[in-house]
């Protein structure tokens, strides 16, 4: 940043005389340097500053307050987005059009009143164009922090709109479905992706709400987080569970499991949210973004949200547009990223497309990962479109960095009901649900599993034996099985391997009328018959022999031929 005199030295004479006219300052110099020096001295006088401040609009004062809050300078595109453009004019056009008489906004009005400079400065790791208050003018200004700030933090909705239905994500249960699928089928991996396309389609259908929008994106995120947490491993083209780390993770309390998923997403450099935003098409033309830094900068703005209080998504988007529009582009570059509108093919470049890119990314953060992983709940309008959101208690702890509350694991983890139905405690670790699903099937209630002869076949397929199943049930329920329960379990275990085989024989009569005559007189014998033609039927062998005996009592002795 520079002093006022150095700023004014860069202006042409028409610009300098416009400033003098607007500020009521003496400017008798005949050369541009002389005029700039006289004007700088006049504009820095306290009475001149106070008079100018008294004549400012609230928007002008707010613009200066924003610059004060930022230490005196803001990125040029951010400042001009909030307070209007500062147009560039050559000397001739400047004299003809006199833009100070009809400024484009508060920024341009301050520009022609001598309160602003424009230049390049180092911000972070980037050299960017800035709008600034000259360094010798800045300490002379009163504290304007009482002015309304540009980005007003979202306020909770006083009254939730009628018809809103709140929905919670099911990330933990989806992880359970994923790990169980991998455990049972050892699916094939894809090239550069965790699963082959056909395997991913099969798995997507097993997730909660498989018909919900963007289920493929949800599955891709959860698979990536499984990798980040070292729950899965790929070997020889197949995906399997990592034996040690997956077992340790599955035995954690559910609140810790959920927190680990959220933290894995926050810290991931591999998962790129921007490239999964619905409606955007990111073209690989050499540009790159930093998904981890963008995600963390966005999350830092959620710390002021009150848990369980509803907020409008649009309010949060608007707050970030004004307060931190560059949260994913620290260099302020809105030109070199090749992102298209997937529907129209329009290339989304320039700050004017912010809502279509950054705004869409914010909505995706809320309606995608944060919702899927249980940090927020979504309020949907009667048409099913997300209209508002609220931070859950788990989400509030994640955002603030507060530790998860210590809690004892429920004991017992499950209860055994009549008919070999096991009901898990709602807070039992996923370990029990995963193990149960290997030899039992879901039974209506979300936490209930029923053991059946068919489900025990799944156990046999995995090499699980009956004693291991009984030991697990007793461990989960904290008691030995009663004798009737043991007997039922053993009976159903054997039921899956017992097979009764019945021979069937085909009977073909010389004439269809003969068959019709017999059916009329011996209908019970033909009850299980399968018609193969007008004179041909299929009967169990025992029934066919009985037919021969019954027919003989009617005076008919069949002659059998093959």
């Amino acid at each position: 940043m520079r002093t006022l005199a150095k700023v004014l030295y860069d202006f042409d004479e028409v610009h300098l005389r416009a400033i003098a006219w607007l500020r009521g300052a003496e400017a008798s110099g005949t050369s541009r340097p002389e005029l700039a020096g006289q004007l700088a001295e006049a504009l820095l006088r306290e009475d001149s500053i106070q008079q100018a401040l008294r004549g400012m609009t609230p928007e002008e004062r707010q613009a200066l307050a924003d610059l004060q809050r930022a230490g005196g300078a803001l990125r040029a595109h951010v400042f001009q987005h909030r307070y209007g453009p500062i147009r560039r004019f050559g000397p001739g056009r400047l004299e003809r059009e006199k833009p100070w008489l009809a400024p484009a906004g508060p920024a341009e009005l301050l520009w022609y009143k001598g309160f602003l400079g424009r230049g390049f400065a180092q911000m972070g790791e980037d050299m960017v164009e800035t709008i600034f208050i000259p360094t010798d003018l800045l300490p002379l200004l009163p504290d304007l922090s009482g002015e309304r700030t540009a980005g007003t933090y979202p306020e909770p909705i006083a009254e939730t709109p009628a018809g809103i239905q709140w929905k919670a994500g099911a990330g933990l249960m989806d992880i359970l479905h994923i790990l169980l699928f991998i455990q049972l089928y050892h699916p094939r991996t894809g090239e550069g992706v965790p699963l082959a396309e056909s395997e991913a389609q099969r798995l997507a259908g097993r997730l909660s709400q498989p018909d919900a929008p963007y289920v493929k994106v949800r599955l891709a995120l959860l698979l990536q987080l499984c990798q980040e947490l070292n729950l899965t491993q790929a070997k020889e083209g197949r995906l399997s569970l990592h034996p040690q780390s997956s077992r340790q993770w599955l035995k954690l309390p559910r609140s810790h499991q959920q927190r680990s998923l959220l933290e894995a997403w926050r810290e991931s450099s591999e998962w790129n949210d921007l490239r999964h935003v619905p409606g955007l098409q990111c073209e690989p033309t050499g540009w790159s973004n930093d998904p981890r830094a963008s995600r963390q900068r966005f999350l830092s703005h959620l710390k002021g949200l009150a848990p369980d209080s509803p907020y409008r998504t649009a309010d949060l988007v608007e707050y970030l547009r004004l307060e931190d529009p560059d949260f994913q582009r620290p260099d302020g570059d809105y030109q070199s990223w090749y992102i298209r509108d997937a529907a129209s093919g329009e290339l989304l470049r320039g700050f004017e497309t912010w809502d279509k890119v950054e705004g869409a990314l914010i909505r995706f953060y809320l309606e995608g990962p944060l919702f899927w992983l249980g940090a927020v709940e979504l309020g949907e309008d009667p048409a099913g479109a997300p209209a508002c959101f609220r931070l859950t208690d788990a989400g509030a702890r994640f955002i603030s960095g507060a530790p998860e509350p210590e809690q004892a694991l429920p004991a017992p983890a499950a209860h055994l009901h009549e008919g070999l139905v096991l009901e898990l405690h709602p807070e039992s670790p996923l370990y029990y649900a995963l193990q149960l699903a290997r030899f039992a099937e879901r039974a209506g209630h979300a936490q209930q599993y029923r053991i059946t002869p068919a489900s025990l076949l799944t156990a046999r397929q995995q090499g699980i034996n009956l004693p291991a199943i009984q030991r697990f049930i007793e461990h989960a329920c904290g008691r030995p099985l009663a004798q009737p329960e043991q007997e039922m379990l053993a009976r159903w275990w054997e039921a899956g391997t017992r097979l009764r085989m019945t021979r069937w024989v085909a009977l073909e009569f010389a004439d269809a009328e003969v068959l019709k005559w017999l059916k009329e007189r011996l209908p019970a014998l033909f009850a299980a018959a399968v018609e193969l033609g007008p004179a041909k039927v299929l009967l169990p062998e025992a029934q066919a022999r009985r037919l021969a005996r019954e027919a003989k009592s009617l005076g008919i002795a069949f002659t059998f031929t093959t």
Side-chain angles (χ1 to χ4, degrees):
M1 296 191 294
R2 293 169 292 159
T3 63
L4 180 58
K6 289 184 178 179
V7 168
L8 296 179
Y9 285 153
D10 289 338
F11 294 165
D12 59 58
E13 189 173 339
V14 176
H15 190 165
L16 293 173
R17 294 197 182 279
I19 294 174
W21 180 75
L22 283 174
R23 294 285 297 274
E26 284 280 340
S28 58
T30 56
S31 65
R32 189 171 60 136
E34 185 182 3
L35 186 60
Q38 290 177 352
L39 196 54
E41 185 178 344
L43 298 185
L44 291 173
R45 290 203 307 267
E46 183 180 357
D47 59 334
S48 176
I49 294 172
Q50 292 302 322
Q51 183 179 349
L53 288 172
R54 285 194 296 271
M56 283 185 183
T57 65
E59 290 77 15
E60 290 175 85
R61 295 174 67 89
Q62 181 185 321
L64 291 176
D66 273 2
L67 287 168
Q68 281 184 325
R69 288 172 55 242
L74 281 169
R75 295 173 187 268
H77 71 274
V78 173
F79 185 79
Q80 292 180 85
H81 179 68
R82 293 176 185 173
Y83 300 108
I86 299 175
R87 296 169 291 178
R88 298 179 186 271
F89 292 89
R93 185 184 171 202
L94 187 66
E95 190 165 16
R96 286 194 310 273
E97 298 191 14
K98 297 179 173 56
W100 56 89
L101 298 178
E108 199 163 75
L109 193 50
L110 289 170
W111 178 251
Y112 287 108
K113 287 182 178 179
F115 278 90
L116 302 179
R118 179 176 4 212
F120 285 85
Q122 192 78 25
M123 284 196 169
E125 298 179 358
D126 305 302
M127 181 67 69
V128 297
E129 186 181 20
T130 63
I131 300 295
F132 61 89
I133 299 172
T135 53
D136 49 354
L137 174 60
L138 181 61
L140 301 179
L141 294 176
D143 181 8
L144 299 171
S145 58
E147 303 293 325
R148 184 176 64 86
T149 57
T152 302
Y153 200 76
E155 293 286 343
I157 303 172
E159 186 175 343
T160 305
I164 291 292
Q165 295 289 325
W166 289 100
K167 290 179 60 177
L172 272 184
M173 296 312 296
D174 281 341
I175 289 288
L176 174 64
H177 297 318
I178 290 171
L179 297 181
L180 179 62
F181 181 83
I182 295 171
Q183 174 83 5
L184 292 177
Y185 302 109
H186 296 283
R188 291 176 291 107
T189 59
E191 187 171 346
V193 291
L195 284 183
E197 179 63 24
S198 60
E199 303 280 25
Q201 289 179 358
R202 286 175 62 202
L203 178 51
R206 294 167 179 258
L207 299 183
S208 60
Q209 301 177 339
D211 298 325
Y214 322 123
V215 66
K216 289 186 177 180
V217 178
R218 176 169 29 128
L219 174 59
L221 171 63
L222 295 177
L223 284 170
Q224 178 63 42
L225 297 183
C226 285
Q227 286 188 339
E228 303 269 351
L229 293 171
N230 202 29
L231 304 181
T232 59
Q233 58 185 3
K235 285 186 178 180
E236 299 177 353
R238 295 279 178 175
L239 200 60
S240 62
L241 300 188
H242 192 286
Q244 288 82 33
S245 56
S246 67
R247 186 181 182 89
Q248 291 172 359
W249 185 84
L250 285 164
K251 289 187 173 183
L252 292 172
R254 292 197 182 196
S255 61
H256 289 68
Q257 291 169 335
Q258 181 181 23
R259 179 68 169 265
S260 70
L261 290 170
L262 284 164
E263 290 180 345
W265 170 65
R266 183 189 63 204
E267 300 299 327
S268 177
S269 297
E270 296 298 320
W271 174 259
N272 195 331
D273 301 281
L274 180 63
R275 295 181 183 273
H276 292 279
V277 173
L280 296 185
Q281 180 180 326
C282 298
E283 298 187 357
T285 55
W287 65 275
S288 64
N289 64 311
D290 186 340
R292 180 173 177 268
S294 303
R295 194 181 304 127
Q296 293 180 351
R297 190 158 158 180
F298 164 76
L299 290 172
S300 70
H301 288 287
L302 305 187
K303 293 182 178 180
L305 299 179
D308 296 323
S309 297
Y311 293 86
R312 289 185 181 86
T313 304
D315 290 348
L316 181 63
V317 173
E318 179 64 9
Y319 165 72
L320 279 162
R321 182 181 69 83
L322 295 173
E323 184 66 22
D324 189 14
D326 297 338
F327 71 93
Q328 75 157 344
R329 309 196 205 209
D331 59 356
D333 179 8
Y334 288 83
Q335 296 296 328
S336 65
W337 291 15
Y338 275 73
I339 303 174
R340 294 187 183 275
D341 183 299
S344 67
E346 175 194 0
L347 187 60
L348 303 175
R349 299 172 73 177
F351 194 77
E352 60 273 15
T353 66
W354 187 93
D355 189 67
K356 292 183 177 180
V357 179
E358 276 72 14
L361 176 60
I362 293 168
R363 289 185 283 271
F364 176 70
Y365 283 147
L366 293 171
E367 298 167 16
L370 286 172
F371 170 64
W372 297 333
L373 300 177
V376 303
E377 294 177 346
L378 296 180
E380 295 185 346
D381 62 23
C388 50
F389 70 95
R390 62 188 180 194
L391 205 60
T392 63
D393 289 339
R397 291 193 297 272
F398 163 64
I399 295 298
S400 68
E404 292 300 312
E406 291 299 325
Q407 57 186 88
L409 294 177
H415 291 282
L416 183 60
H417 300 297
E418 185 178 354
L420 296 185
V421 173
L422 288 112
E423 182 172 353
L424 288 174
H425 189 286
E427 295 301 321
S428 62
L430 289 186
Y431 169 78
Y432 292 97
L434 182 70
Q435 297 303 324
L436 265 181
R438 298 176 68 192
F439 63 83
E441 58 192 33
R442 294 290 290 273
H445 190 282
Q447 301 295 336
Q448 286 186 347
Y449 293 80
R450 177 181 289 109
I451 300 173
T452 67
S455 70
L456 291 173
L457 290 177
T458 304
R460 286 179 181 270
Q461 179 190 12
Q462 299 169 79
I464 303 173
N465 58 39
L466 183 60
I469 292 174
Q470 182 170 332
R471 285 195 302 271
F472 176 81
I473 296 173
E474 292 177 341
H475 169 70
C477 297
R479 66 171 178 84
L481 293 186
Q483 189 63 32
E485 293 168 339
Q486 291 186 41
E487 291 173 356
M488 180 179 284
L489 182 61
R491 186 166 63 250
W492 285 358
W493 178 264
E494 294 300 326
T497 60
R498 289 198 302 269
L499 185 65
R500 181 179 179 182
M501 186 166 62
T502 303
R503 285 177 178 273
W504 288 64
V505 295
L507 301 179
E508 185 171 10
F509 297 86
D511 190 276
E513 291 300 318
V514 176
L515 176 58
K516 181 180 178 183
W517 188 88
L518 287 169
K519 283 183 175 180
E520 290 173 351
R521 285 156 180 77
L522 302 169
L525 294 179
F526 288 92
V530 178
E531 300 283 348
L532 298 179
K536 192 174 183 179
V537 293
L538 195 63
L539 281 175
E541 184 179 33
Q543 292 292 82
R545 293 185 183 280
R546 185 179 168 192
L547 174 63
R549 292 195 299 270
E550 294 287 339
K552 194 171 184 180
S553 69
L554 296 175
I556 303 169
F558 287 120
T559 302
F560 291 95
T561 59
T562 59

